[in-house]
Amino acid sequence: MITRCRPLLGTLVEISVPDEAVAAIAPAFDAIAHIHARMSFHEPASDLARLRAALPGHSVAVGRETVAVLRMALALHRATKGLFDVTIGRQLVSSGFLPRDSVEHLGRFRGTSADIAIVDDTHVRIGRRVLIDLGGIAKGHAVDRAIEVLMENGVPMGLVNAGGDLRAFGDRDWQVQLRDADDVVRLAVPARNCAIASSANLLNRRRHRGAIHGPHVGLGRQPVLVDERITVVAEWCIIADAMTKVAMVDPILAGQILDAYKGYVLPNAPVAATMAKAV
Amino acid sequence: MKRRVYHTALLAALAAPSAVHATVYMSAEQAQAVMFTGEVLRPDFRQLTNDQVSAIRKASGEAPLRHDLKAWRASGGGWFIVDEVVGKHEFITFALALDASGAVKSVEILDYREAYGSQVRDPRWRAQFTGKRAGQSLQLGRDVRNISGATLSSKHVTDGVRRLLATYAIVLAHAG
């Protein structure tokens, strides 16, 4: 296997393929770079920048992939009764987890995911103004896209890891080490034809106006602070990525939704993460 | 009788938890071939003056880790630079490719070293890897741990790229 690594999506992205398939790595990274350009909160030319400038009632042109990710985000927002919400940008800017520059009048972004309407495959309209952050879902989508590109290029097996959100395919087991919330690796699981995503915030907290905040926000826009790693296995990485945030707050609800997507919350005991039984 | 004094500092350092992990993705030569396919690269190493270092720090908000700048000039007019960044637990070597206008073409991580404790901030600890990077003992990209956990930030690499863009503007842009 050959592994390459690039800084994208605010993290370090690794792509591993067999030696003879090394030429497929560059187009897979290109697909991720495209997603980075469209869906990064920090990129001034991104679709997210257009959406935060968007005025209520106006249709905004965005990329197809952005619409695809928003469709999934909105479906998860409904399925989780508002728990999974990509409009938490306001809270994350306020608590210092996202940069304040390029965001004017933070208080005006009062909308939730319920204010986002998909017009067609390349247009979105908002009700109230929203500050969208796709940090909880775009990495998963990027991993899925990169895997598709590898497959389209005839690569027989591979692994894409976007800073902890990963997906493996092909006829082999991949050892995946799980880094616990305290930064220590205690458990490794063999993964085969599945996606694995983990979230934790024990070591990523800051104080803002007398309260402790983390990068995860739950119902009522309250910070979600958990001291443990949450790991989700699913067929697609977009689901695994997004559902870690739901499982942090409500593991039972997360389990119910994951049932429909051939996934589950990984128990904290050694098991094999595999989709073989589900496929 | 003269009492023998043992030097124990080294033993204390050994006893401290030192979960060091290193991943080598590419050599500098491989990165050159990938980032400047078909072009010829000539080394154009520089020694940064103190004035340049402070100008770079002022322009980018980041101080260079060292005074020697490992830069190569590509036959098409671009630049290839190898540099390092230090995070809380990690020490990362990366390569930056600039096109002839000084815009970023691509960034590749060459290697990633992780250590717990203060080692990673100690230049002597880092020095032990200097020159070993070409993969004498490590197989390139074959030693990768697949890790799932809280998202790792690439902020230090992004800061390092910004610092090298300032370095380019101050030191390399006017090279003949």
Side-chain angles (χ1 to χ4, degrees):
Chain A
M1 288 290 156
I2 281 190
T3 302
R4 299 277 194 252
C5 179
R6 288 193 196 171
L8 287 165
L9 306 165
T11 190
L12 299 178
V13 181
E14 293 176 333
I15 299 182
S16 302
V17 296
D19 292 15
E20 61 276 13
V22 65
I25 290 181
F29 272 128
D30 289 346
I32 297 175
H34 172 75
I35 292 162
H36 176 105
R38 301 261 54 87
M39 300 184 216
S40 163
F41 189 89
H42 309 264
E43 294 291 330
S46 70
D47 288 344
L48 294 197
R50 309 187 100 191
L51 286 167
R52 64 177 170 253
L55 294 173
H58 288 79
S59 181
V60 180
V62 296
R64 281 174 188 277
E65 286 195 68
T66 306
V67 169
V69 170
L70 283 175
R71 278 205 169 106
M72 178 60 84
L74 298 186
L76 291 174
H77 181 253
R78 288 188 293 270
T80 60
K81 298 180 176 64
L83 176 54
F84 184 83
D85 194 336
V86 291
T87 64
I88 55 170
R90 179 179 168 184
Q91 279 67 36
L92 295 178
V93 169
S94 161
S95 56
F97 284 92
L98 286 175
R100 190 175 285 270
D101 45 321
S102 78
V103 180
E104 285 176 45
H105 306 297
L106 192 57
R108 292 184 187 170
F109 295 94
R110 294 173 182 280
T112 72
S113 288
D115 292 290
I116 304 172
I118 308 294
V119 178
D120 59 30
D121 285 350
T122 54
H123 290 87
V124 173
R125 186 174 56 232
I126 55 159
R128 289 178 296 174
R129 292 190 70 188
V130 286
L131 197 53
I132 299 172
D133 171 46
L134 296 176
I137 190 168
K139 277 193 286 293
H141 170 72
V143 168
D144 288 334
R145 271 300 298 148
I147 293 276
E148 281 173 19
V149 170
L150 294 178
M151 289 173 162
E152 286 161 13
N153 279 276
V155 179
M157 61 186 72
L159 184 143
V160 179
N161 185 357
D165 300 334
L166 61 89
R167 181 171 155 190
F169 75 100
D171 191 17
R172 60 163 277 176
D173 284 343
W174 302 78
Q175 277 307 115
V176 173
Q177 304 189 356
L178 304 177
R179 190 196 295 269
D180 288 336
D182 59 0
D183 244 1
V184 178
V185 173
R186 298 183 178 84
L187 188 64
V189 293
R192 180 183 284 242
N193 287 318
C194 66
I196 299 180
S198 299
S199 283
N201 59 42
L202 182 65
L203 300 178
N204 189 15
R205 293 178 187 176
R206 49 174 82 212
R207 186 173 279 279
H208 173 65
R209 291 191 180 164
I212 306 290
H213 292 260
H216 304 112
V217 178
L219 286 173
R221 303 289 167 117
Q222 293 302 305
V224 175
L225 303 173
V226 289
D227 292 348
E228 306 209 315
R229 164 184 53 78
I230 307 292
T231 298
V232 170
V233 181
E235 185 180 23
W236 299 334
C237 200
I238 190 172
I239 294 291
D241 185 11
M243 293 310 290
T244 57
K245 288 81 191 179
V246 178
M248 271 185 175
V249 177
D250 192 340
I252 293 172
L253 174 63
Q256 289 165 352
I257 294 169
L258 282 163
D259 269 348
Y261 288 104
K262 302 178 186 175
Y264 52 96
V265 181
L266 195 75
N268 273 326
V271 289
T274 172
M275 285 286 104
K277 62 186 177 194
V279 175
Chain B
M1 191 173 84
K2 194 179 171 196
R3 197 172 267 184
R4 193 176 293 173
V5 178
Y6 287 106
H7 198 59
T8 57
L10 201 63
L11 292 170
L14 283 173
S18 58
V20 177
H21 182 79
T23 301
V24 180
Y25 298 101
M26 305 172 103
S27 66
E29 295 71 27
Q30 284 178 317
Q32 290 177 348
V34 167
M35 299 166 98
F36 287 97
T37 308
E39 293 191 47
V40 180
L41 282 93
R42 281 195 331 272
D44 192 353
F45 291 13
R46 306 293 179 94
Q47 246 345 90
L48 302 178
T49 65
N50 287 336
D51 284 349
Q52 287 172 329
V53 165
S54 53
I56 290 164
R57 190 172 52 221
K58 200 172 168 193
S60 67
E62 298 289 322
L65 280 184
R66 41 209 281 169
H67 281 243
D68 51 325
L69 175 66
K70 287 184 273 184
W72 284 256
R73 189 79 194 258
S75 50
W79 289 91
F80 175 87
I81 307 174
V82 171
D83 209 335
E84 287 121 15
V85 288
V86 182
K88 194 172 165 200
H89 294 306
E90 71 279 11
F91 176 54
I92 299 169
T93 311
F94 68 101
L96 171 69
L98 301 175
D99 66 18
S101 74
V104 175
K105 248 164 75 94
S106 54
V107 183
E108 293 276 357
I109 306 297
L110 301 188
D111 55 59
Y112 180 97
R113 304 184 187 285
E114 192 178 34
Y116 287 90
S118 52
Q119 285 168 321
V120 84
R121 297 219 151 260
D122 183 347
R124 287 167 304 178
W125 179 84
R126 299 201 304 263
Q128 67 183 309
F129 297 111
T130 315
K132 288 187 183 170
R133 258 232 11 273
Q136 288 149 352
S137 59
L138 292 150
Q139 281 200 299
L140 293 169
R142 280 150 214 269
D143 190 26
V144 173
R145 296 194 306 174
N146 303 303
I147 299 181
S148 182
T151 304
L152 199 73
S153 168
S154 60
K155 179 176 183 300
H156 293 294
V157 178
T158 311
D159 292 343
V161 169
R162 193 175 66 242
R163 169 168 54 73
L164 286 187
L165 286 173
T167 306
Y168 165 82
I170 290 161
V171 182
L172 301 175
H174 308 296

